[in-house]
Amino acid sequence: MSIDRPPVTPQHYEVLHGGGAEAAEIAKQRYSSRRFLRRSMLAIWGVAAVGSVAGALNLLYPNLAGQFGASLDVGAKSAFKAATPDKFAVNEAGVFYRQQAKTYVVHLAKETHFLLHGTNLSDQLDAETILKDADGSYWIALYQRCVHLGCTVPFRNECLSFKCPCHGSHYNSDGEYLDGPAPRSLDRFAFHFQGGDVVVDTGTLNNKVPHPDATTRLIPVPPLVCV
Ligand code: FES
């Protein structure tokens, strides 16, 4: 139906062809009807435009509070028992999975044997987003996603390491590359402590930790064959 030309009823026909006071009244109604339709259409277009703008803003600035992509509190520090890599057991000691953050929180005991020392060690810890705590232990927040083609990588207690089930990429307990097709070490998130809790910033990813060599590897290769 056209806005400008609503259907011509018999009464409208009278108006068009001269109908006195009645015709004038019908003409007035017809004008009101046209004006009402115009206003209705404008209102609909207005609502649609506001909805479109709101949708675009939501895409550009999504509200991620409490969701993956935001900073997530994954629990009290005391829930993550530190261990040396030879004692790691998932969700029991050294390595803890937090599904909401898609993260393995790794907590290395202060007795951990590192292959580097002094500034070489501190520089490499910074490069690999590893935080040394006040008690001498070390923390890492590893992204669960395999850097080869994106499968979720489990920690294998019997291997003391992460091994991807898809194509076999293999990563040490601190996320450093061991072998397989992965192009780099596991990615890791920024994180901090807040009121005694561990907060993982799942929107800030360090995806630039290359294959380690003799000058950069932090943790000894586990003395186990992992198949
Ligand atoms: S996706 Fe992990 S090895 Fe291919």
Side-chain angles (χ1 to χ4, degrees):
M1 179 176 70
S2 163
I3 295 172
D4 294 327
R5 298 188 65 79
V8 178
T9 64
Q11 289 160 311
H12 290 149
Y13 187 86
E14 286 282 327
V15 171
L16 293 172
H17 297 277
E22 185 185 0
E25 179 59 28
I26 291 172
K28 187 174 152 191
Q29 286 175 8
R30 185 182 182 195
Y31 172 73
S32 297
S33 166
R34 197 184 307 160
R35 188 168 58 179
F36 172 76
L37 280 170
R38 277 206 182 101
R39 287 183 174 174
S40 297
M41 290 302 289
L42 282 172
I44 291 168
W45 287 333
V47 168
V50 168
S52 299
V53 171
L57 286 174
N58 196 40
L59 279 176
L60 288 171
Y61 306 103
N63 179 9
L64 295 173
Q67 301 175 38
F68 184 72
S71 290
L72 300 175
D73 187 327
V74 295
K77 289 173 73 174
S78 57
F80 303 95
K81 181 185 172 194
T84 52
D86 58 315
K87 301 280 195 314
F88 269 29
V90 72
N91 294 331
E92 292 177 14
V95 56
F96 300 84
Y97 183 59
R98 290 293 180 268
Q99 195 274 332
Q100 77 271 32
K102 303 183 181 185
T103 297
Y104 288 96
V105 175
V106 172
H107 192 191
L108 291 160
K110 63 181 178 184
E111 297 81 12
T112 297
H113 171 59
F114 287 104
L115 297 170
L116 304 180
H117 305 281
T119 53
N120 286 343
L121 174 60
S122 55
D123 288 349
Q124 197 57 34
L125 292 175
D126 287 346
E128 299 195 21
T129 317
I130 299 175
L131 184 67
K132 185 174 184 180
D133 205 349
D135 65 1
S137 65
Y138 300 84
W139 295 79
I140 319 169
L142 295 173
Y143 187 15
Q144 69 179 17
R145 187 178 186 274
C146 182
V147 298
H148 179 224
L149 292 176
C151 292
T152 296
V153 185
F155 185 85
R156 300 258 305 267
N157 290 349
E158 75 279 21
C159 299
L160 294 174
S161 54
F162 297 91
K163 180 110 179 182
C164 183
C166 294
H167 315 98
S169 287
H170 192 196
Y171 310 89
N172 209 343
S173 51
D174 61 348
E176 289 184 306
Y177 171 86
L178 289 171
D179 52 75
R184 61 181 184 274
S185 298
L186 281 178
D187 297 336
R188 54 279 319 276
F189 294 116
F191 66 99
H192 63 277
F193 304 129
Q194 186 173 297
D197 285 2
V198 179
V199 177
V200 179
D201 181 0
T202 59
T204 304
L205 191 68
N206 177 355
N207 59 2
K208 293 186 169 40
V209 181
H211 289 179
D213 61 25
T215 67
T216 59
R217 186 180 292 283
L218 283 172
I219 305 282
V221 174
L224 296 166
V225 176
C226 187
V227 291

